[in-house]
Amino acid sequence: MKVIVRWLLLAAALLLLTQWNIGISVSTFGSAMWAAFVIGLLNAFVRPLLIVLTLPVTVLTLGLFLFVVNALMFQFAGYLLDDFQVQGFWQALLGSVLYSLWGMVIDVALERLMGPRLPMQPPRA
């Protein structure tokens, strides 16, 4: 249940980003849900690979290159989806930072409202 609520709230955060006129557009809430899903998949599977491949640059820039990796994931989601558009790299950078901040706020709020995640435990006999 917590995952679905988080997904819906992240989609709402994407719609909020479109209202600030920073070069990001989403046509409908359904499109925002797909965009949040694709961004989540990219962050789960592609982002770790990019982090490993760009580790020397990340170390050299004291971790600031991770902002570039996040912006690339955000912009790549815009390329994959027709109804989610990101105008350019700087807009993707700003959008990814704001989206990440909203994600942290959502995570903290859900943690307080729904409690911490419990590890999977086998059923008792």
Side-chain angles (χ1 to χ4, degrees):
M1 182 67 172
K2 193 174 187 180
V3 173
I4 294 172
V5 172
R6 183 178 188 276
W7 179 36
L8 292 172
L9 289 174
L10 285 173
L14 274 178
L15 282 177
L16 181 65
L17 286 178
T18 64
Q19 300 302 313
W20 290 344
N21 294 325
I22 58 173
I24 298 169
S25 62
V26 179
S27 57
T28 63
F29 185 71
S31 300
M33 287 176 56
W34 276 110
F37 181 71
V38 169
I39 290 170
L41 285 178
L42 289 173
N43 284 336
F45 296 110
V46 179
R47 185 175 179 262
L49 180 65
L50 280 178
I51 288 173
V52 170
L53 291 175
T54 61
L55 190 60
V57 177
T58 303
V59 171
L60 188 65
T61 61
L62 302 174
L64 291 176
F65 194 73
L66 292 176
F67 286 112
V68 174
V69 172
N70 287 340
L72 290 174
M73 293 297 96
F74 205 75
Q75 195 167 19
F76 188 53
Y79 287 132
L80 292 176
L81 299 169
D82 291 333
D83 295 334
F84 175 61
Q85 300 294 320
V86 181
Q87 298 298 321
F89 175 77
W90 296 108
Q91 289 81 4
L93 182 67
L94 180 60
S96 68
V97 168
L98 292 173
Y99 185 71
S100 296
L101 289 173
W102 274 111
M104 288 190 308
V105 169
I106 289 167
D107 286 341
V108 168
L110 287 177
E111 188 77 20
R112 290 188 181 192
L113 290 174
M114 296 184 164
R117 289 187 210 164
L118 297 175
M120 295 294 292
Q121 296 176 358
R124 295 182 185 198

